[in-house]
Amino acid sequence: MKTFIWGKTVTIVDIAKESGYSVTTVSRVLNNRQDVSPEAKNKIMEIVKAHNFVPNTNAKRLKQTSSRNIYVLVKGTSNMLFANIIEEIQCVVDRSDYSLNITYLDEDDNIGNETIRICRERKPLGVIFLGGSRDDFTEEFSEVSVPCVIVTTCAKGWNVDKLSSLSIDDEKAGETVVDYLIQNGHTKIAEIGANLELSQTAILRHNGYINSLKKNGIVPDERYYERARFSYDSAYRAMERLLEKDIEITAVYAISDVMAIGAIRAILDKGLKVPDDISITGFDGSVLSQYYNPKIVSIRQPHKDMAARSVEMLFNMIDLNKPVTHEIIPFELIRGESVINIGTRPEH
């Protein structure tokens, strides 16, 4: 169990870290909510008593009555990476004098229109976007006068006032993971992507796929591409369509971990094995992908760093009038168990 340094002011975030439960769960216990398991409540209260922790009710009332609100707009409801980032953002904001509001949008919704509505009705001091593309920020977005940060998507070159961005190099990351498949002997590589007309992320990750094929002397074939939404079910059906085609597939590059997991289930339901029959890679490096069986080869986006840095960028724009910035941060290829070297595949 983690031990705090004497003299340090213990916060709800510290209680959450020591207990292993989320800030939300700790908050529910402290507010005597009933939607918490007895096990969680007992463990959290033991830590609270051990540190003589007393919730700062004055600060809580101040946050509830102040207008220092920021919003997080999330595009899509099944993105595990976004869920991890949101939890970290919540922890960071809880240590400030800001209040956090979260709104979820469908993949097909326009973020810009929703932002305009929220700014008119709710008057936030700033907005963080998880997901989105250039088409979400049309000329009407100029009505939004508060600082904004888009995370996981690069907005450099969009020329949108008040919009900073923080992301990895999605195109290079896509190229890197497909290179890994080719290094393991795969040349018949399918892709489960997304709508290239709606998602900049899908375009960049698809470009990485194409770049890798071409530089390795493999001619791209549109039959090896299937589009899906960022959901288990949609990816499952996309994988089914791939398997129904009269083409040989030894590996699949899925542009998200959610898609990879949905595709794996479709492969297994056809009586095939991963990776013995078909190897597969994901993207995002979500926690679930690393505990899935098999552990999925993926691109890790540093969600903790992305959350902390995005909030810092927004606060700097709000409080210090810092200019718009566009930052690219490093990614990491995670070598899991979902890819097999083609030369070591079992004979059938």
Side-chain angles (χ1 to χ4, degrees):
M1 180 177 287
K2 179 179 175 182
T3 301
F4 295 119
I5 299 173
W6 288 106
K8 179 183 183 296
T9 300
V10 178
T11 68
I12 189 173
V13 178
D14 296 322
I15 301 296
K17 287 181 178 178
E18 183 170 350
S19 68
Y21 291 98
S22 68
V23 170
T24 302
T25 301
V26 174
S27 177
R28 286 172 179 165
V29 171
L30 294 175
N31 286 288
N32 202 29
R33 291 267 298 272
Q34 300 302 310
D35 52 344
V36 182
S37 69
E39 179 184 3
K41 184 174 182 179
N42 291 338
K43 185 172 183 179
I44 290 168
M45 288 309 298
E46 284 180 7
I47 296 170
V48 166
K49 292 175 182 177
H51 296 290
N52 296 316
F53 175 77
V54 179
N56 189 339
T57 54
N58 290 331
K60 181 178 178 181
R61 280 196 295 270
L62 177 62
K63 290 182 72 172
Q64 289 174 339
T65 58
S66 74
S67 60
R68 292 180 66 79
N69 294 317
I70 62 173
Y71 267 77
V72 175
L73 268 63
V74 188
K75 196 164 189 180
T77 58
S78 301
N79 192 311
M80 291 183 289
L81 174 68
F82 289 173
N84 294 335
I85 292 176
I86 290 168
E87 185 167 3
E88 293 297 328
I89 287 176
Q90 183 100 48
C91 290
V92 176
V93 174
D94 276 345
R95 296 195 293 267
S96 74
D97 61 346
Y98 287 87
S99 295
L100 183 66
N101 303 272
I102 303 170
T103 297
Y104 289 89
L105 305 177
D106 189 79
E107 285 182 25
D108 299 327
D109 289 342
N110 185 281
I111 283 180
N113 293 339
E114 183 65 16
T115 307
I116 292 170
R117 184 192 68 78
I118 287 174
C119 287
R120 285 174 179 168
E121 298 176 3
R122 304 297 180 182
K123 304 290 190 294
L125 292 182
V127 181
I128 294 176
F129 304 106
L130 295 183
S133 64
R134 180 66 184 87
D135 291 340
D136 287 309
F137 301 91
T138 58
E139 290 183 8
E140 289 79 8
F141 192 79
S142 60
E143 295 181 33
V144 177
S145 59
V146 300
C148 301
V149 178
I150 184 168
V151 188
T152 73
T153 302
C154 181
K156 186 176 183 179
W158 292 7
N159 297 319
V160 179
D161 292 340
K162 298 288 187 179
L163 181 65
S164 292
S165 65
L166 181 71
S167 67
I168 65 167
D169 186 336
D170 281 288
E171 185 167 332
K172 186 62 179 178
E175 183 176 341
T176 297
V177 74
V178 178
D179 281 349
Y180 180 75
L181 288 170
I182 294 173
Q183 290 161 8
N184 278 276
H186 297 276
T187 58
K188 306 294 184 181
I189 304 170
E191 177 189 359
I192 296 180
N195 190 332
L196 300 180
E197 296 177 357
L198 296 177
S199 172
Q200 176 175 308
T201 297
I203 293 172
L204 293 173
R205 295 180 186 183
H206 175 68
N207 288 346
Y209 167 76
I210 297 297
N211 294 345
S212 179
L213 295 184
K214 288 183 174 179
K215 80 177 183 183
N216 286 285
I218 303 171
V219 178
D221 185 337
E222 64 180 15
R223 295 178 300 166
Y224 282 79
Y225 181 83
E226 278 293 336
R227 187 176 76 180
R229 295 169 67 87
F230 288 88
S231 71
Y232 301 110
D233 179 64
S234 186
Y236 181 98
R237 287 183 275 112
M239 189 68 234
E240 283 188 318
R241 293 193 296 272
L242 284 170
L243 293 172
E244 290 168 359
K245 296 180 180 180
D246 187 23
I247 55 176
E248 180 187 2
I249 299 172
T250 67
V252 176
Y253 160 60
I255 68 166
S256 79
D257 290 340
V258 166
M259 289 175 166
I261 291 171
I264 289 173
R265 174 45 56 188
I267 293 169
L268 297 177
D269 285 352
K270 289 293 183 180
L272 302 173
K273 296 180 180 179
V274 177
D276 291 357
D277 296 307
I278 298 179
S279 293
I280 194 161
T281 63
F283 205 113
D284 290 334
S286 63
V287 173
L288 178 57
S289 72
Q290 300 311 294
Y291 285 92
Y292 196 76
N293 185 17
K295 180 180 178 182
I296 298 172
V297 173
S298 187
I299 293 291
R300 174 181 285 141
Q301 301 199 60
H303 69 274
K304 291 186 178 181
D305 293 340
M306 297 180 96
R309 182 58 186 143
S310 64
V311 174
E312 181 182 16
M313 290 168 70
L314 187 67
F315 287 177
N316 284 342
M317 293 172 73
I318 296 171
D319 297 326
L320 304 177
N321 201 29
K322 293 281 188 178
V324 165
T325 59
H326 303 287
E327 296 186 12
I328 302 294
I329 60 177
F331 62 84
E332 178 187 0
L333 175 67
I334 305 173
R335 291 171 171 80
E337 304 158 347
S338 62
V339 172
I340 194 171
N341 189 293
I342 201 76
T344 64
R345 287 175 66 187
E347 294 292 334
H348 291 283

